[in-house]
Each structure stands twice: as structure tokens, then as C-alpha cells.
Amino acid sequence: VREIGRGAASAERAARISPGGPSPAVATPTSPQEPDDAPAEFLCAVSRRKMTDPLVSPYGHVFEGKVIRAWFAKNGSVCPLTGQPLVWSELRPAEALKTKIRNWEIT
């Protein structure tokens, strides 16, 4: 019973330490964007960091290009949020969102 408690505590600590939760497979952006005070719609669904290259999945989730590439490289063709099959060719640039982010950055 104690071992289970330790595992849960470790997972809880990992979730607090990592802004995207306890998912070490996810690469985080390297640009100096912290802290992210951007609107929630501007944040990657995985890393929770402001995006510069937003890509939308057929499931409606939006990911930073570098983050989802790293996810695919580490975990294969699966959506990090739904666990459903997802391949690179299904992702589409979110141009309107990219424009909104750029406009927000300059104001």
C-alpha cells in the first residue's frame, strides 16, 4: 500500500513540475516565451506554451509544430490528447490563429 502511495505522489510531483503534465516525451519550445500570459487559445494543447507555428488536428486540437513533431518522433502516429490515430499529413496550418497570435504580440 505504501508503494502505491509513493507512485501517486511521484506522479503528482511530476505533474506540478512539468507545465504540460507528466509527459516527458513532449519537447518544449526553446524560445524565451515564459511566462505565457497569452490567451488560452494561443497555447499549444500539449506544452501549454504560446505557439509560433500552430497546426490543427482533425480532432480540433491545436499544437505547436515543433512539439507535435517531437511527439510523433517519440510516440508514433497517435494524438497526444485523444490516443486516436493521427499522422503528420492530417495536420493543417492554423493560419488565422497564427495571424491572431502575431497581432497580439505586437500590441
Side-chain angles (χ1 to χ4, degrees):
V1 174
R2 277 194 109 129
E3 292 302 317
I4 293 170
R6 284 186 194 153
S10 295
E12 187 177 312
R13 272 193 304 280
R16 284 193 307 254
I17 293 168
S18 175
S23 181
V26 177
T28 56
T30 57
S31 58
Q33 300 177 23
E34 296 180 42
D36 284 322
D37 58 347
E41 70 176 307
F42 297 172
L43 305 181
C44 172
V46 174
S47 70
R48 306 307 301 160
R49 301 240 175 118
K50 185 169 51 77
M51 296 178 284
T52 58
D53 179 26
L55 301 171
V56 65
S57 81
Y59 306 112
H61 303 114
V62 185
F63 306 104
E64 172 61 34
K66 289 180 183 178
V67 172
I68 194 66
R69 271 188 222 101
W71 173 268
F72 285 153
K74 179 82 174 182
N75 300 289
S77 299
V78 61
C79 177
L81 301 181
T82 66
Q84 297 296 311
L86 180 64
V87 295
W88 180 260
S89 62
E90 293 178 302
L91 298 172
R92 298 286 176 245
E95 294 297 337
L97 179 57
K98 189 174 189 174
T99 299
K100 284 175 74 173
I101 293 169
R102 285 183 180 163
N103 289 339
W104 178 82
E105 290 174 330
I106 59 174
T107 59

